Amino acid sequence: MTRLKRKTILVSLSLSTLVASGTAYAYTGAGETLQQWMKSQVQLQQQASEDQLREEMNTARIALSDTEKASLASVDEQLDKQSAAAANQASRRIQQSQKDYAEQIDRAATELSKTSREAFDAYVASATGRMQTELERTVTQTIQGFEPIN
């Protein structure tokens, strides 16, 4: 901003000098030489100002590009962190689900084992009772089929 002010002041001062010298020497040939010199000085100053402005714009463009690259790197880093966090969270959820399912299977297996033992014990008791009843009936029939020996 200060460079622009300097440029404006310089151009304004140069033009003022040019106008003043043109007025002072308008009636003589000496003014033409001064005018030519002033024009060349103004052109040199304009060229220098334009060159400096180009250089500053290139510097700003490079700085902006560097800032953009740094921002992209930062965004990439944040995305990597968030994806890693999401992957860890998903992994924890999967592990918790596995643990829950394993516990459910263990409880079901325990329940089935308990139920199976009780059912087996009941079956054995029932079968034993039936066999005993059947054996007693068979024995009774067999005994009744014999005639007593006198």
Side-chain angles (χ1 to χ4, degrees):
M1 188 58 128
T2 57
R3 293 180 183 191
L4 182 61
K5 286 181 181 180
R6 280 191 230 153
K7 292 174 191 176
T8 305
I9 291 171
L10 182 63
V11 169
S12 175
L13 192 61
S14 298
L15 290 174
S16 298
T17 306
L18 182 63
V19 170
S21 65
T23 304
Y25 295 105
Y27 301 110
T28 65
E32 287 181 29
T33 306
L34 186 57
Q35 283 180 346
Q36 291 298 325
W37 180 79
M38 288 300 287
K39 283 182 184 179
S40 67
Q41 290 302 314
V42 167
Q43 287 177 348
L44 286 173
Q45 286 298 326
Q46 283 179 336
Q47 186 63 38
S49 297
E50 287 174 3
D51 291 344
Q52 186 176 5
L53 182 61
R54 272 192 213 101
E55 184 179 321
E56 288 175 3
M57 285 180 65
N58 285 336
T59 303
R61 187 177 300 126
I62 290 169
L64 181 62
S65 177
D66 291 344
T67 303
E68 180 183 359
K69 288 176 186 174
S71 296
L72 287 174
S74 174
V75 167
D76 285 343
E77 183 179 324
Q78 288 177 352
L79 284 175
D80 288 344
K81 285 180 182 178
Q82 287 181 349
S83 65
N88 286 337
Q89 186 177 15
S91 176
R92 278 186 261 129
R93 284 183 183 168
I94 290 170
Q95 289 173 352
Q96 185 61 41
S97 294
Q98 283 178 324
K99 182 180 175 184
D100 292 343
Y101 289 138
E103 288 173 0
Q104 287 176 0
I105 289 172
D106 288 344
R107 282 193 301 261
T110 302
E111 191 65 34
L112 283 173
S113 174
K114 181 180 176 184
T115 305
S116 296
R117 276 190 224 134
E118 290 171 356
F120 182 72
D121 290 344
Y123 173 75
V124 168
S126 171
T128 303
R130 278 188 308 215
M131 284 178 20
Q132 198 170 14
T133 305
E134 193 65 35
L135 183 63
E136 285 176 7
R137 193 168 23 122
T138 304
V139 168
T140 305
Q141 286 176 353
T142 306
I143 290 176
Q144 287 176 355
F146 285 117
E147 292 189 21
I149 300 179
N150 286 348

